[in-house]
Amino acid sequence: MRICLLSYRGNPYCGGQGIYLTYLAKELMKLGHDVHVVVGPPYPFEIEGATMHRISNHNYFNNRKEFIKPHRPFSTFSPFNFYEFIASKMGIFPEIETFSFRAFLKLKELVKKYDYDVIHDNQCLGYGFMLIKLIGIPFVSTIHHPLTIDRTTWFEYPSDFNLKIKRVLYYPLIMQKFVANRMDKIITVSHDSAEEINRAFGVPRDRISVVYNGMDSSIFYPIRNLKKKKNSIIFVGNVEDRKKGIIYLLRAMTLTKHRVHLTIVDGGAPNRNFMPRIVDKFKLNSQVTFTGKISMDRLIELYSETEIAVSPSLYEGFGFPAAEAMACELPVISSTGGALPEVVGEHLKTGYFVPPRDAEAIARGIDFLIENPAVRTRIGKAGRKRILETFTWSNAARELVEIYEEVINANGGSGKARG
Amino acid sequence: MNRFYKPACPDPDIPINMLTICIYGRILDPTVIMNYTGDRALGRPKIFGFIALVISSALAGLFIYSVFIIKNDYSLGNDLTTVHDWTFYSLAIPIGLVALFVAATGFWIGWTILTIKVVPPMPEIVEKKDFSKIKAFFLCLFTAGVAAVLIYGLYVRNFWALAVPAAAISLVILGSVFWVGMAIITTRSTLPKK
């Protein structure tokens, strides 16, 4: 089968989308499929064996000042760039939409050379996909979680009117709802996320398939010879992403009986602004360390040096950080937000559950696990076992191929057969 | 066969019928599109594609006819009530639609802020009272008022109902061009050494 994966961002260090793209491409190739990747910046690293087609943009939304390319100064006036420029200045996030149109133009060229059997998008859902559909190749999309969740959780935090206007404009919900309902199939990464997609976008439940993400156990494993730091906890995630709920963890740290030290790995937060002020407000400066961007090796070391991981998210479509910590044999205090219970498993067996937005419960959980090292060890070992058995990328790829075949058959055979 | 092929137009080898359309020298023949997907019938999206194509072409023709071909008295001192209905609405409808779209977007933003249901923020982190809902209410009121005034203005053919939105649209585009121009002038003209 020749599979074309689309992703408007592809770097695995920029979030779940990049991780998803990289691992799926590798696993699909292991199953003998020919994989092409049409991807926007930041680009993924070279995926050996996959054919990469890069689609550039000027990233006007984040590049507020130095957006002129000295070697192509007038490129901002090209139609897509100029639209992107004006929309960005108005607070709209146009990257998703323009990627979809650019991907159409790229695919229009590529289909002359390659017979794709299926196109698989990774949470873009731009209007340009309606044109890609006209090419006539079965087209599916993965939605990790609907962005309605991000918008709602953002509004839970104090902010002024102007910021709220920007947030309403930022999320392309109308477009994604429109496009999601016109895809051949929607794939998502948890049953909870499937329900949310059904609720937010109105996609019928029978058109949504659940394929769990995987976890690379060759990367995430416990390093045995490293000594655990006493009363240490770790949080991994973008601290500026309001749905991660770190504020409840910080509040919990003021309520614990034991003085704990928190390491925050927030490589995905380019503009750390809100959270340091909260750390200051709770007077936790001496108990919190921000690592910034670190290498994967250092992250594994940190997991191995720490006693407890906390995932206090208000919502997670899947919850990679919780799964990573579990793969490293760390007991995870996890909220019951979104898909976390599906990933973490059972209370006091493979994890420790607390309700979302409940700082007191997190504090009780931290104290309980600090006081019970045997329970920590037991939960850590059971957690790793669960991750290794349930969440593998090879399973994910196999299930995806079944969905591709189902969609291809429903569309009257493969691209080659149609030829 | 590729869906788009580019012979000189009109091409004697290709039967020109009502469904063969020539755009920019490219002939888009629906029968070719139907064949391209093999045994499958023309899909619903493609029918919509053709409808869009026909309607947009017809509207573009109507616009050119109404604005440039119908005879009007454009002498000094003439107001908008004397121009032909088609001429006026050919300009008023696109400008009005853009203006109404902007007003509707403003209303939608206000409505979203006003009606979104969220868990109240943690009291410990609230620094000042939030008046967003009140401001959102006034945003809804303002944008609805602007839209009503605009529609009425266009109905009575008021000059300002056309001029204000047209000026706003033009200034946004010109302002963006100005901004980019300024950025080009102030950007370093050579690539950095590293």
Side-chain angles (χ1 to χ4, degrees), chain A residues 14-89:
Chain A
C14 290
Q17 288 176 50
I19 296 171
Y20 188 79
L21 176 79
T22 307
Y23 280 105
L24 273 190
K26 284 180 184 169
E27 290 299 330
L28 288 168
M29 282 187 296
K30 274 188 205 165
L31 294 175
H33 303 291
D34 182 13
V35 176
H36 287 230
V37 180
V38 176
V39 67
Y43 302 116
F45 310 119
E46 280 302 325
I47 305 170
E48 203 182 326
T51 311
M52 196 87 74
H53 308 279
R54 292 181 175 84
I55 294 178
S56 71
N57 67 41
H58 284 212
N59 194 10
Y60 294 108
F61 193 86
N62 295 314
N63 254 345
R64 294 274 156 175
K65 285 181 181 166
E66 293 179 359
F67 57 85
I68 297 293
K69 309 286 174 203
H71 57 295
R72 286 196 304 143
F74 291 100
S75 56
T76 299
F77 289 122
S78 70
F80 286 135
N81 284 347
F82 197 53
Y83 164 71
E84 230 176 316
F85 176 77
I86 294 178
S88 297
K89 295 302 166 213

Side-chain angles (χ1 to χ4, degrees), chain A residues 107-124:
Chain A
L107 281 166
K108 209 164 90 78
E109 294 302 313
L110 291 176
V111 293
K112 290 176 187 167
K113 281 200 279 184
Y114 306 104
D115 277 324
Y116 293 120
D117 293 288
V118 66
I119 303 172
H120 182 172
D121 158 59
N122 188 8
Q123 188 133 3
C124 174

Side-chain angles (χ1 to χ4, degrees), chain A residues 67-68 70 73-74 76-77 82 85-86 89-90 112 134-136 151-152 155-161 164-165 168-169 174 247-248 251 278 281-282 357 411 418, chain B residues 2-3 26 36 38 40 45-46 108-109 112-113 116-122 124-127 130 132 135-136 139 172-173 176-177 179-180 183-184 187-188 191:
Chain A
F67 57 85
I68 297 293
F74 291 100
T76 299
F77 289 122
F82 197 53
F85 176 77
I86 294 178
K89 295 302 166 213
M90 292 179 172
K112 290 176 187 167
L134 290 180
I135 295 172
R151 190 177 72 179
T152 311
F155 272 72
E156 281 189 37
Y157 288 77
S159 60
D160 60 26
F161 185 57
K164 284 182 178 168
I165 289 178
V168 175
L169 280 171
I174 296 172
I247 195 161
Y248 295 95
R251 174 88 180 94
I278 301 297
K281 197 174 177 71
F282 287 146
R357 304 176 184 86
N411 276 268
R418 284 195 317 272
Chain B
N2 199 327
R3 285 186 308 154
R26 290 180 179 209
Y36 176 73
R40 289 192 302 165
K46 287 179 183 171
W108 168 69
I109 291 169
T112 304
I113 297 173
I116 197 165
K117 288 189 179 71
V118 293
V119 178
M122 190 191 277
E124 289 88 340
I125 61 167
V126 176
E127 286 169 349
D130 184 11
S132 294
K135 289 178 182 174
L139 179 63
V172 165
I173 295 169
S176 303
V177 174
W179 194 338
V180 176
I184 291 172
T187 297
R188 193 179 44 230
L191 287 166

Side-chain angles (χ1 to χ4, degrees), chain B:
Chain B
M1 183 192 277
N2 199 327
R3 285 186 308 154
F4 296 99
Y5 50 103
K6 197 179 177 181
C9 183
D11 188 322
D13 296 332
I14 295 168
I16 303 291
N17 55 43
M18 278 183 72
L19 289 174
T20 305
I21 300 155
C22 178
I23 307 164
Y24 299 123
R26 290 180 179 209
I27 291 179
L28 187 60
D29 184 351
T31 54
V32 174
I33 296 176
M34 277 184 268
N35 291 336
Y36 176 73
T37 52
D39 54 355
R40 289 192 302 165
L42 183 68
R44 197 164 149 243
K46 287 179 183 171
I47 294 169
F48 282 119
F50 277 110
I51 291 170
L53 210 119
V54 170
I55 289 176
S56 60
S57 305
L59 286 178
L62 193 66
F63 179 84
I64 290 164
Y65 171 76
S66 305
V67 176
F68 297 108
I69 298 174
I70 289 180
K71 286 192 175 159
N72 282 297
D73 180 8
Y74 292 118
S75 57
L76 201 65
N78 249 336
D79 63 23
L80 293 173
T81 53
T82 61
V83 295
H84 195 281
D85 280 356
W86 282 28
T87 308
F88 176 76
Y89 285 112
S90 293
L91 295 170
I93 289 172
I95 291 172
L97 283 178
V98 173
L100 284 176
F101 174 76
V102 173
T105 305
F107 186 87
W108 168 69
I109 291 169
W111 187 253
T112 304
I113 297 173
L114 199 61
T115 57
I116 197 165
K117 288 189 179 71
V118 293
V119 178
M122 190 191 277
E124 289 88 340
I125 61 167
V126 176
E127 286 169 349
K128 53 185 177 184
K129 207 164 173 3
D130 184 11
F131 295 105
S132 294
K133 296 256 177 194
I134 296 167
K135 289 178 182 174
F137 173 74
F138 281 108
L139 179 63
C140 288
L141 212 61
F142 175 73
T143 48
V146 165
V149 168
L150 179 81
I151 291 168
Y152 178 73
L154 292 178
Y155 176 70
V156 297
R157 294 196 178 189
N158 184 285
F159 169 77
W160 297 108
L162 268 187
V164 172
I169 296 162
S170 306
L171 287 175
V172 165
I173 295 169
L174 292 174
S176 303
V177 174
F178 182 88
W179 194 338
V180 176
M182 184 61 85
I184 291 172
I185 292 167
T186 54
T187 297
R188 193 179 44 230
S189 58
T190 52
L191 287 166
K193 283 178 185 171
K194 286 185 181 175

Side-chain angles (χ1 to χ4, degrees), chain A residues 7 12-14 19 31 36 79 101 113 120 145 156 189 194 202 213 297 316 320 323 331 345 401:
Chain A
S7 190
Y13 286 106
C14 290
I19 296 171
L31 294 175
H36 287 230
F101 284 102
K113 281 200 279 184
H120 182 172
H145 67 267
E156 281 189 37
V189 293
N213 285 331
D297 290 341
E316 284 288 350
F320 273 123
V401 169

